[in-house]
Amino acid sequence: MINAILVFNNHGKPRLVRFYRHLAEEAQQQILRDTFHMVLRRDEHVCNFLECGSLFGSPDCKLIYRHYATLYFVFCVDSSESELGILDLIQVFVETLDKCFENVCELDLIFHMDKVHYILQEVVIGGMVLETNMNEIVAQAEAQSKLEKAEVSSSLERGAQCRCRAGWALGAVQEDSMLQAVGPGVNGAIPACVSPGRGHRVGAPH
Amino acid sequence: MALKMVKGSIDRMFDKNLQDLVRGIRNHKEDEVSDRRIKQELKQDNIAVKANAVCKLTYLQMLGYDISWAAFNIIEVMSASKFTFKRIGYLAASQCFHEGTDVIMLTTNQIRKDLSSPNQYDTGVALTGLSCFVTPDLARDLANDIMTLMSHTKPYIRKKAVLIMYKVFLKYPESLRPAFPRLKEKLEDPDPGVQSAAVNVICELARRNPKNYLSLAPLFFKLMTSSTNNWVLIKIIKLFGALTPLEPRLGKKLIEPLTNLIHRYGGRCCFFHSRLVKCLLGGSLSLFPDARCLCVQKLRILIEDSDQNLKYLGLLAMSKILKTHPKSVQSHKDLILQCLDDKDESIRLRALDLLYGMVSKKNLMEIVKKLMIHVDKAEGTTYRDELLTKIIDICSQSNYQYITNFEWYISILVELTRLEGTRHGHLIAAQMLDVAIRVKAIRKFAVSQMAMLLDNAHLIASNTQRNGICEVLYAAAWICGEFSEHLEEANQTLEAMLRPKVTTLPGHIQAVYVQNMVKLYASILQQKEQAGEKEAAQEITQLMIERLPQFVQSADLEVQERASCILQLIKYIQKLQVKEVPVAEEVIALFAGELNPVAPKAQKKVPVPEGLDLDAWINEPPSDSESEDEKPKTIFHDEEQRHSKPRHPEMDEEELARRREARKQEQANNPFYIKSSPSPQKRYQDTPGVEHIPVVQIDLSVPLKVPGMPMSDQYVKLEEERRHKQKLEKDKKKKKQKKEKRGKHHRHNSLHTESEEDIAPAHHVDIITEEMPENALPSDEDDKDPNDPYKALDIDLDKPLADSEKLPVQRHRNAEALKTPDSEAPPVEKKTLMVHIFCCVLCLLVRSQSYNGDFCLLSEFRRKTWISGNLQNDSQVTVSVIFENKSTSFLKSMELNVLDSLNTKMLRPEGSSVHDGIPVPFQLPPGISNEAQFVFTLQSIVMAQKLKGTLSFIVKNDEGSTHEKLDFKLHFSCASYLITTPCYSDAFAKLLESGDLHMSSIKVDGISISFQHLLAKICFHHHFSVVERVDSCASMYSRSIQGHHVCLLVKKGENSVSIDGKCSDPTLLSNLLDEMKETLSKC
């Protein structure tokens, strides 16, 4: 079983937090911080597995992570998962994101957290791996976004000003304005992750 | 126009979407994060605005804000009709709902509706959400719906439903057995995704309880050879890893397909190697020494690989092999020690784990020495702590099996105290105590080392607040006090213990200090008195009186109490000393006697003596109320007892628990209870009477007292020398022996059988095993964790399904209305009360009456009906009747009435008499058919029943309406009370052996159909399932709704069939056989 899937950037800012076991928000943030510190300590060319001991309260827990450009993808799993299998799965997940967002970068994850969640739901549900075939995942995700688009456009036709969600439907239109809006951050931590242009490409592994 | 613009701007105010929120947060606008705006949006009626707000909340949840206050709004969004909003709602719910969310019970119907939605993505989204927040209640209520989805037409839904079943099993274990057959089916689903999901679920289940899934091995074997999906392959191989230890033959079978796999995946072979190894674990390996060597060799290649991931996995796999075959791994010690130097912490930790299993008497010192070097080098406390615990684990494993020289071990422990900032001070302390108590020969040495520690306490306890290492002072003080007879400079130690600095130590340590000071004092006093140095004795008393007040002032109550107690004692001694009374003997008598180590489980294992009832009261407890006390007891005695009885066990338990807790506390604080290694093994027997004989001749060249802090290295060297010497001696002896042997052939044949590999321990150490009570029961039950959430899944799947084990089905309303008052239980109990059984054929024979030739009810039909058995009352049977209007008129006001028999009664609504009919809840236009259900209660099911009934209705056509009647007969055959229940042959055999079954048999001649066909007929008409079939003989099983077992043995001769039946009820059996005879004679 997968206990949690965490995506955070080089500064420990969460980009996706998905726990498959209920924990209070403070506990979730604590795990996020601990995980970040543990992963950050590690050199570039060491193995991708980390025994995290008491992080989840049970000794049977392992962190399997990959580092792409500015983002860490961390899966906390127990011993029933195969280490290399999960490593593959992370790759599949990231490649799927890359396909769905077309050259995914950290910004996509920041502004479309919901969309990332929906894609993840096609890969893992309830801590168990649902699908490992990338084409199938992309197909299902796109079918659902089409359905959403159809609903949004139909409601627009009806004249209702339904700008409720940009999500899939309006995301593309807003991309440019979003970049302008982000601009140079006040806090030094944030601009570091917003690289010039569209940011680092996440798709290719480091 | 203007109005429109105003409206637009208002809309925009609430229209900030997720992107705006994110942007705001990044620009540090507090305003964006404020709940107020979102709360305002949640209040809007527009579902789009609400969904937008919930979407933003989901983002805030990720940042660590608790959004549970919005749970109700989330449910609102979940129930939106549009997929777009529904999805947002379910996402938010999956992020923040949990078992404690009280509104979750409101979702049940919404989820059920979504699950049965025609849009597969609605269903999918509901399933995904449910997987995250399923609660026991939801699991129970929705289990049946999800199970139905497992055979959905869309594979997308099927695979999700299969995966979620695992979550349902976890929350509602009762569903496992009814759902398992379908889960098994899904292993052979045409869609690979569904297959993979089913494999996934079974692997998770099998991890907890592999033996239940052994029967699936052939199926998985087939899958493994046919599947091309890597993920499925990995899971199956993992599963086999769990199964092979249980079934050694499996390993043999697996070798070939695994080798094939390795060849197939040439490039990725390394990956499969490590899997292969894991899977070949267990008994199978011992059968194939070649395979094992091969595996270990392959692993070596993995570990030497430059890819760190493979290295890690290689080590991981090796540690698995180590558990079963330590020898084959030990030869790779060099490689593993090398891994300790790796820069990667994960790999170092793995290597450490391996070392634990690799130590022997020979290499222990060497390995520990290496580890000590690493301790010094290690950066970061976590790794250093890990090293420390590993060193202690390695040394103390199996009751210090590998330690040949305890002086060395003590000095290692003392060396470890120099570690700063470790959390494991108590671990070292426990080891010191354990060794000092259980190894008598080492006490002298231990005491001298401990005295030194006390002397240098300032080094250890420099930073007491954060420093866990000061715990060792606890052990040091206790050892010095308890074994003070071995102390050489007791005065000095006592002074060290009385230093003012001691008062900065934690309370529990100070308490031990105070207590052991007295022990020390007593032994010093005795020494001085015996030597006749009265002044010195008085001096030491004076010292105590001067210094003890600092402990009396302690903030710690324990310390304060002990100190003031002791201070008074010593003042009294002083008075006696002034009078020149010898006191030493009496003071020392306070601490006379040896404290023995008691095994941690000893208390639990004391068997209860025969005839002792622990729950019985020794004295009747005083009654609760005073007024009762005043009453003359002789009169109310009996009544009083009756009243107070039920309360006793409760009080009793509470009291017991309290006392147990208190005792535990006491034991924890008591230094005399020493926790010890979990498996006490009597290695060296404690021979009575010779305890104090120094067994070893300690070489005089060994300096027992090492100046300054001890260095373990010295002992390594000394030990090496000693071993060398020993070896030489042994060689000499052997030569001598040989010489002697040449002369006298019959002597010394068994004296020196030990191999040279065996190293005699330096001390003939006397490891005392912890005390266990006599006739202690060897029970290991307590090792199981009672809180294991997966324990509930330990369910025997091979047993035939009982009728009680059905998933709860949502019942039709009118059926519920039919329930009699006494069958209506409070809602909580309902779940256990009502159980639903599918699969029974009732035949409803309706005598066709062509009334005016216009219409008739279906003349004769058979259909599947739901039968719902009610366990607590007599069985209830639901009969479904299909009404078809074949006339051209409109039928309405239909009422069905049945003439009740003694045994079978129709359930009527409350207040109606037996003569009232039950209205059929619909009208029938011409040519339409519809189904209605009627509930019957049955007393006994051993006999077939026929009920007469009437259907009255109004026929309405152009000419007007007429009232009509139609008579029919309802036939309940005995077979209709049977439920097809699968049964495995072993359970079947057990059933037959049990001997509570009655037997009867029939024979039918003139049967020409094939045996296969015949069995199918019996299965179909009489609801049996085939247990086993051999040639023209088959055993069959079925079960009645009231739980009677029915077993059949069907034999086919040339032209006849004989059936031997066994059943727990003879009447039922004979009736069943009669019915069967009738069916067969029609063939």
Side-chain angles (χ1 to χ4, degrees), chain B residues 480-492:
Chain B
C480 284
E482 185 63 25
F483 306 117
S484 49
E485 70 267 21
H486 299 294
L487 260 183
E488 278 170 22
E489 301 202 29
N491 267 354
Q492 202 186 332

Side-chain angles (χ1 to χ4, degrees), chain A residues 1 17-18 22 29 42 47-49 51 79-80 110-111 122 126 131 140 144 148 151 165 181, chain B residues 19 23 26 62 83-84 87-88 94-95 98 121 156 159 167 204 238 309 312 344 346 350:
Chain A
M1 276 259 296
V17 176
R18 171 83 267 191
H22 176 74
Q29 294 298 314
R42 299 182 54 82
C47 70
N48 299 71
F49 318 119
E51 275 153 62
S79 62
S80 68
I110 297 171
F111 286 105
E122 299 304 320
E131 186 59 71
Q140 296 296 352
Q144 290 180 52
E148 189 177 344
E151 279 183 1
R165 276 191 68 259
Chain B
Q19 279 71 29
R23 210 169 294 145
R26 290 165 66 97
M62 180 180 79
F83 171 74
T84 316
R87 186 153 74 150
I88 296 173
S94 72
Q95 288 287 57
H98 55 95
Y121 291 113
Y156 177 72
K159 67 183 175 190
K167 292 277 174 174
E204 284 288 340
K238 273 225 160 184
N309 286 342
Y312 175 86
D344 188 348
S346 294
R350 278 277 128 241

Side-chain angles (χ1 to χ4, degrees), chain B residues 385-671:
Chain B
D385 279 356
E386 186 63 30
L387 273 170
L388 193 153
T389 39
K390 267 284 131 58
I391 290 176
I392 287 177
D393 278 354
I394 286 173
C395 291
S396 63
Q397 67 175 312
S398 1
N399 213 20
Y400 309 104
Q401 187 185 354
Y402 299 116
I403 295 184
T404 51
N405 186 337
F406 276 92
E407 284 174 20
W408 164 82
Y409 186 45
I410 292 270
S411 52
I412 284 283
L413 287 176
V414 173
E415 245 177 85
L416 286 176
T417 62
R418 278 184 243 151
L419 278 184
E420 260 177 49
T422 176
R423 287 182 291 116
H424 295 299
H426 62 275
L427 210 61
I428 303 175
Q431 282 293 301
M432 285 173 169
L433 285 170
D434 199 34
V435 172
I437 291 166
R438 294 173 55 194
V439 187
K440 284 188 175 163
I442 201 68
R443 283 181 191 165
K444 194 175 169 64
F445 178 75
V447 166
S448 68
Q449 294 297 317
M450 294 304 122
M452 205 145 45
L453 269 184
L454 287 178
D455 218 23
N456 297 320
H458 56 281
L459 291 177
I460 292 166
S462 54
N463 190 357
T464 44
Q465 291 312 313
R466 285 183 297 128
N467 208 337
I469 205 71
C470 61
E471 288 286 330
V472 297
L473 292 176
Y474 177 105
W478 193 84
I479 292 171
C480 284
E482 185 63 25
F483 306 117
S484 49
E485 70 267 21
H486 299 294
L487 260 183
E488 278 170 22
E489 301 202 29
N491 267 354
Q492 202 186 332
T493 311
L494 184 63
E495 258 176 73
M497 285 170 84
L498 283 167
R499 277 184 208 140
K501 189 98 196 202
V502 172
T503 51
T504 57
L505 290 173
H508 66 285
I509 298 178
Q510 282 186 57
V512 171
Y513 260 71
V514 173
Q515 188 73 19
N516 286 287
M517 258 172 227
V518 198
K519 292 183 195 166
L520 258 180
Y521 167 75
S523 75
I524 295 173
L525 206 62
Q526 196 189 27
Q527 256 175 37
K528 303 286 180 203
E529 271 190 16
Q530 274 167 0
E533 305 168 26
K534 277 180 196 161
E535 293 221 340
Q538 281 180 3
E539 250 172 55
I540 202 94
T541 313
Q542 190 56 40
L543 179 77
M544 288 290 276
I545 290 175
E546 273 169 25
R547 299 280 182 85
L548 268 175
Q550 62 182 346
F551 294 105
V552 177
Q553 291 157 7
S554 169
D556 192 284
L557 283 179
E558 178 81 12
V559 181
Q560 209 183 80
E561 189 189 5
R562 287 192 193 194
S564 50
C565 216
I566 284 159
L567 187 60
Q568 290 311 313
L569 176 75
I570 289 176
K571 279 182 181 163
Y572 182 67
I573 293 171
Q574 196 182 29
K575 272 185 205 160
L576 292 177
Q577 274 180 333
V578 175
K579 290 178 196 164
E580 301 208 345
V581 182
V583 284
E585 282 305 321
E586 278 178 54
V587 179
I588 207 103
L590 287 176
F591 307 103
E594 185 113 341
L595 295 167
N596 288 328
V598 177
K601 286 179 193 163
Q603 183 72 37
K604 230 193 266 176
K605 297 210 171 174
V606 182
V608 178
E610 229 174 283
L612 175 66
D613 183 7
L614 287 174
D615 294 329
W617 285 87
I618 298 170
N619 298 313
E620 276 303 310
S623 58
D624 291 342
S625 72
E626 280 177 317
S627 59
E628 272 178 21
D629 265 355
E630 285 161 17
K631 285 174 190 163
K633 274 194 175 164
T634 43
I635 300 173
F636 293 104
H637 186 70
D638 279 351
E639 204 182 300
E640 223 172 81
Q641 260 193 336
R642 230 182 296 139
H643 275 302
S644 47
K645 257 280 155 63
R647 255 173 280 154
H648 289 168
E650 237 177 69
M651 282 168 50
D652 204 8
E653 264 173 28
E654 220 176 75
E655 171 74 357
L656 271 180
R658 195 183 58 76
R659 283 187 196 161
R660 206 173 296 134
E661 195 51 44
R663 200 162 47 236
K664 260 187 207 159
Q665 205 67 35
E666 190 183 294
Q667 279 177 11
N669 290 334
N670 193 336

Side-chain angles (χ1 to χ4, degrees), chain A residues 51-75:
Chain A
E51 275 153 62
C52 53
S54 53
L55 194 62
F56 274 87
S58 73
D60 182 18
C61 175
K62 221 172 255 180
L63 299 180
I64 297 169
Y65 71 96
R66 258 174 194 258
H67 188 197
Y68 295 91
T70 58
L71 291 175
Y72 283 99
F73 285 74
V74 184
F75 281 44

